Amino acid sequence: MTHDARTEHAPAASDGTAPDMSWFAWGDPAKARELDPGTRELVSQVLRTRTEDMPPVAEEDVVLSESRLDERLREVFAEAVGAAQVRTDHTARLLHSGGKSTPDLLARRAGKASPAPDAVLYPADHDQVERVLAVCSAERVAVVPFGGGTSVVGGLSPVDGGFRAVISLDLRRLNRLVSLDATSLTAVLGAGVRTPHAEEMLGEHGLTLGHVPQSYEYATIGGYAATRSSGQASAGYGRFEDMVVGLRVATPRGTLETGGPPASAAGPDLRRLLVGSEGTLGVITEVAVRVRPRPERVLDEAWSFPDYATGVDALRALAQSDTRPTMARLSDETETFVNAALGGREAVPGCQAVLGFEGTDAEVESRSAVVRRLLEAAGGTPLGPDPVAHWRETRFHAPYLRDTLLSAGVLAETLETAASWSDLLPLHAAVVGALTGALDDDESGAVVQCHVSHTYATGASLYFTVATGAGEDPAGRWDRAKRAASDAIVANGGTITHHHAVGTDHRPWMTAELGPLGAEVLRAVKSALDPEGVLNPGKLIPEA
């Protein structure tokens, strides 16, 4: 099947802006659908639980704490960004009261959005961001950078850290293509540019970024850099950090600029330090990225393997070869069955992988032929392009399905990790066991499914999806499961996060990830760039 994968995405508005996401759900709630009676009954049977409607309260009934922004402080911020760009109204504060994790949504749907930011500021450029940070540091006001609002790990929670107030710094106005070097194939984009708008602007020059995570429609360029994002075509285009060639960052102590030449031996790479810093070391305002010519051709192929171990070995062989697809994903037996059921297709025994190739006609033909021979030798059976076409059509739908299930009293959430190839299958078994053990009880059963979403020469990532009845205490129920899974990840050679980032959710495991000395180094960098500690408190940086 040959097509242009980029044409699947809805174009952004001409000025690059996009509507706010719903305050109680992912994206546009009009895209969510109620469960039909047959599906509802099937879910009840599989999970051994009753599905009960859990509608959100009315927006006006959501309780917010009183804004602590006094008139003097409001005027100081107005001098920095303009009076119209300082908002303390209920709607703006509610929309910036956190991210889109299930705990975030459970709280808001129940009418609880405290803590909420005391104000939302909308700077227009780097200089305004720098002025805001200077005010925040001098006035002891916490600041939470806000891009697309897609965090699912507590990265946007307005933790005040004991400061007098907390503001949300919304970067949506930093949404332009700053510069383009078509000779060097690099572009500088404002941190607030959403991905569809980036592709629209680059596409006018025949170029693409090639970064397509599930949050594609709403996430921003700055957010990708701040969280070390990884897109679905990472096998071919790399992770977002691999695309970053330079950063412009505002800090309470001034501007930090990194990057420039294609390579350097001038000491440690500060760019790598700032990528993944989650707004705790500075506010990324511009990102210089590597871009690629738009592919002439996209070829998709699905493959079947008799079991997960065989499929994992096949993907390892691909990742360690000289010829790789642009995109490669492998579902375990449970996810393969669920995907077929949701798509109304007959389930294929074993496990299913979806692969995609992008490039010139000659490149696609050559690479796909080599990969086909390798996968056949590894025990794979080709299934043709149709399963991949269905995946491409539905790959941004999962968050909406989660919201549909949540409205019916079913928790559906995700978590991810990565490990070496040697540790991957034992880690998969350990996390499935931890989640099942925490959730399969008298209140409900649980379905745990997983896929390999990103591959490397030395290992791969695992992306888990969990469904279970909400029970009497849905937030507590998920918290117990997430803690059990996180403990299992750390105990079995996995990273606490592969691409969702750290936020508040994964922070308790950061010292185990970095080691005590590594945690001390990170705290020292934080102290150097943000001496008052106002930048996104409570996130990423391990406690002393």
Side-chain angles (χ1 to χ4, degrees), residues 460-485:
S461 68
L462 294 173
Y463 192 95
F464 296 87
T465 301
V466 189
T468 188
E472 295 297 323
D473 178 17
R477 186 171 174 80
W478 175 247
D479 182 66
R480 290 192 301 274
K482 181 64 182 286
R483 287 182 177 276

Side-chain angles (χ1 to χ4, degrees), residues 386-473:
D386 289 348
V388 193
H390 179 263
W391 173 78
R392 287 195 184 274
E393 291 167 4
T394 61
R395 58 179 162 167
F396 302 133
H397 294 181
Y400 293 105
L401 177 58
R402 177 194 62 169
D403 294 340
T404 296
L405 290 169
L406 189 57
S407 294
V410 175
L411 300 181
E413 188 54 293
T414 62
L415 58 91
E416 39 74 58
T417 181
S420 67
W421 290 111
S422 297
D423 290 335
L424 203 68
L425 289 175
L427 176 62
H428 173 268
V431 175
V432 170
L435 289 168
T436 303
L439 294 172
D440 194 345
D441 55 22
D442 292 339
E443 283 194 300
S444 174
V447 173
V448 182
Q449 60 188 48
C450 181
H451 63 262
V452 172
S453 57
H454 307 275
T455 60
Y456 310 92
T458 59
S461 68
L462 294 173
Y463 192 95
F464 296 87
T465 301
V466 189
T468 188
E472 295 297 323
D473 178 17

